[in-house]
Amino acid sequence: MPVNFLPPAPAQVLTAEGRVRCGKYAGTPNLIDWSGLALHQRRGKLWQALHHKHWHYVALATEEIFCGIAIVDVGWTNTAFAYVFDRQEGKLISSYSQDGLPGLTAKLNSHPAAGAASQFQFFGKKIRFQHLPDSEQAQAQFQLHLQCGSFVIDALLDASQAAPSLLAVGEVQGGTVHATVKSAGMPLTGVVKVGSRSFNLQTGTGSYDHSNGFLARETGWRWASAHAKDVGFNLQAGYFGSNENALWLDGKIIALGAAQFDFDASQAMADWHIHTDDGLLDLYFRPEGFRAENKNLLIASSRYLQPIGVFSGWVRASVDSPKRQIEKMVGVTEDHFSKW
C-alpha cells in the first residue's frame, strides 16, 4: 500500500464561491477567513458570534521541562493559560490562568503562519506569539514572549528547519466548519525563567496549534501530540473526527485514520493506549504529571485534563513499511469538555 502523503495547502480555506476546501494538506494557508462562507453553511450573525472559537496553543519541550501556553477567544469572552512542568521533579513549578474581557484582552488574527500575531494582556501580564518575517524564508521564525510576574518565557521557534505544517479543514457536528494548522516540531532557542531558576531551550523542540471555526455549544475531545526533529504526530477523537490525525516522518506528513484512546478518565496518572485504525501508529503514554482545570461560569463550563509524559511504541509510513520505534518521546494527552 502506498504512503498517503498529503497534497499542498491551498492559499484560502474557501473557494471563490464560498465552498469549504475540506481535507488534509501539507503547508499553511495565507488566511483562515470564514467571511465568504456560502449561504447554505452560514448561520445568523448572533449564532456565529456565540459559536466562533479561535485559539493559539504553543508547546515547548526539553529534557528538563515542558511548557504549554494558550490564548483562547470564544467570542463572548476569552482566556489564557501558561504553565511550566518540571520533568525531573514531576510537578508544575509555575502556572498562570486568567479569564479576560470580551474584545479587549485577547487579540488573534486570521494568519496561522506567515503574519501570525496572537496576544493576551491583562493588568501587566502579557503573552505574545508572532511570526518574524524574513526575506529568504516565508516562515523563518516564530517568537513567543511571556511576562507573568516572575514567570518569563523568551523563545524562538525555527520553522525554516522544520517539516511542513498540517492544515485540516472540515465540517463539525453541532457546529458548521473548522480549520486547524498544526506545526511540525521546530528547533528552539531561548530561555524559561521561574523566579531564580532558568531553563535553556537550546536543545528543545517547539510546536504550535492555530485553530479557527464555528463549534457546537458543547464540545469534547481527546488529543495527543508529541514532536521530535524527525518524527511527530497529532491525534484527536471528538468534535473533528479524524480530520487532524497525521504523522510527521523524516520531513513528510502522512495522513492517519481514526484514533482510539484507551484510558481511565478518573485516574490522571494512569497510562494511556492510543492507536489508529489504519495500522500506522500504536503508542503507550505514561504520564509524568498533569495540569487540570475545572471551571463553572454559570453560562459556561470547562473540564480539562492535560497529562504531560512520554510516548513509547511504534509508527510507520504505510502498512508495508517497517515499524519506527518510539522511545520515551515527550508530549501530552488531553481529555477536554467545554460548554462554551
Side-chain angles (χ1 to χ4, degrees), residues 5 56-57 65 79 96 98 115 131 135 143 163 178 188 195 201 243 251 265 271 295 300 305 313 327 338:
F5 293 132
H56 216 142
Y57 171 85
I65 60 171
T79 189
Y96 172 75
Q98 180 64 57
H131 170 241
S135 59
Q143 181 185 59
H178 184 69
L188 283 176
L201 297 173
N243 283 296
D271 288 358
K295 292 182 178 181
L305 172 67
E327 296 290 343
S338 286

Side-chain angles (χ1 to χ4, degrees), residues 184-211:
M186 293 175 276
L188 283 176
T189 56
V191 65
V192 174
K193 296 180 180 179
V194 178
S196 61
R197 302 180 67 183
S198 182
F199 301 92
N200 195 319
L201 297 173
Q202 188 68 41
T203 60
T205 302
S207 59
Y208 73 84
D209 166 352
H210 184 115
S211 296

Side-chain angles (χ1 to χ4, degrees), residues 19-330:
R19 298 188 178 275
V20 182
R21 288 191 166 106
C22 295
K24 298 180 186 180
Y25 305 93
T28 58
N30 295 332
L31 294 169
I32 299 177
D33 180 5
W34 302 115
S35 61
L37 194 61
L39 287 175
H40 75 282
Q41 286 185 307
R42 191 182 301 173
R43 304 281 181 90
K45 290 184 178 180
L46 178 60
W47 187 95
Q48 289 194 342
L50 293 175
H51 289 260
H52 186 214
K53 316 302 175 188
H54 193 181
W55 67 84
H56 216 142
Y57 171 85
V58 183
L60 312 175
T62 74
E63 288 296 318
E64 293 182 293
I65 60 171
F66 185 93
C67 301
I69 305 98
I71 302 170
V72 184
D73 188 347
V74 300
W76 55 272
T77 190
N78 54 73
T79 189
F81 72 78
Y83 66 83
V84 183
F85 177 78
D86 188 314
R87 298 185 60 206
Q88 277 65 49
E89 295 184 6
K91 66 179 184 180
L92 296 178
I93 57 172
S94 190
S95 182
Y96 172 75
S97 179
Q98 180 64 57
D99 294 322
L101 302 173
L104 296 175
T105 45
K107 299 182 186 303
L108 297 92
N109 71 16
S110 57
H111 298 278
S118 300
Q119 179 175 298
F120 183 89
Q121 189 165 0
F122 192 92
F123 287 111
K125 309 293 176 60
K126 183 176 182 179
I127 304 172
R128 181 172 177 81
F129 181 86
Q130 62 179 335
H131 170 241
L132 299 179
D134 182 271
S135 59
E136 297 180 1
Q137 293 286 344
Q139 299 178 29
Q141 289 183 323
F142 296 94
Q143 181 185 59
L144 173 66
H145 175 72
L146 177 148
Q147 179 75 59
C148 296
S150 62
F151 175 19
V152 177
I153 300 177
D154 277 301
L156 286 176
L157 295 78
D158 189 354
S160 68
Q161 299 184 46
S165 295
L166 165 73
L167 167 65
V169 187
E171 298 180 350
V172 288
Q173 187 175 8
T176 53
V177 294
H178 184 69
T180 184
V181 170
K182 314 285 188 183
S183 80
M186 293 175 276
L188 283 176
T189 56
V191 65
V192 174
K193 296 180 180 179
V194 178
S196 61
R197 302 180 67 183
S198 182
F199 301 92
N200 195 319
L201 297 173
Q202 188 68 41
T203 60
T205 302
S207 59
Y208 73 84
D209 166 352
H210 184 115
S211 296
N212 184 337
F214 300 99
L215 305 186
R217 166 79 166 133
E218 296 186 358
T219 305
W221 65 86
R222 277 76 58 209
W223 177 61
S225 175
H227 290 280
K229 300 298 192 300
D230 59 344
V231 62
F233 57 86
N234 185 85
L235 299 166
Q236 195 243 168
Y239 75 96
F240 209 27
S242 62
N243 283 296
E244 63 182 58
N245 293 350
L247 169 69
W248 284 264
L249 201 59
D250 300 327
K252 302 290 185 181
I253 311 179
I254 300 158
L256 293 176
Q260 176 69 39
F261 290 75
D262 298 320
F263 68 104
D264 185 344
S266 66
Q267 299 293 325
M269 292 296 289
D271 288 358
W272 295 46
H273 180 211
I274 306 166
H275 54 96
T276 54
D277 65 359
D278 51 19
L280 301 188
L281 178 147
D282 195 306
L283 297 169
Y284 286 88
F285 174 77
R286 174 156 293 180
E288 297 174 337
F290 64 93
R291 178 183 183 270
E293 191 169 72
N294 293 307
K295 292 182 178 181
N296 191 340
L297 304 176
L298 299 180
I299 62 171
S301 61
S302 175
R303 186 186 72 248
Y304 166 94
L305 172 67
Q306 188 175 85
I308 304 106
V310 292
F311 293 88
S312 297
W314 55 264
V315 299
R316 56 184 173 183
S318 72
V319 293
D320 301 322
S321 301
K323 295 175 180 177
R324 176 80 68 89
Q325 295 300 312
I326 302 295
E327 296 290 343
K328 296 183 177 180
M329 186 163 68
V330 63

Side-chain angles (χ1 to χ4, degrees), residues 9-20:
Q12 306 286 344
V13 296
L14 299 178
T15 67
E17 297 76 29
R19 298 188 178 275
V20 182

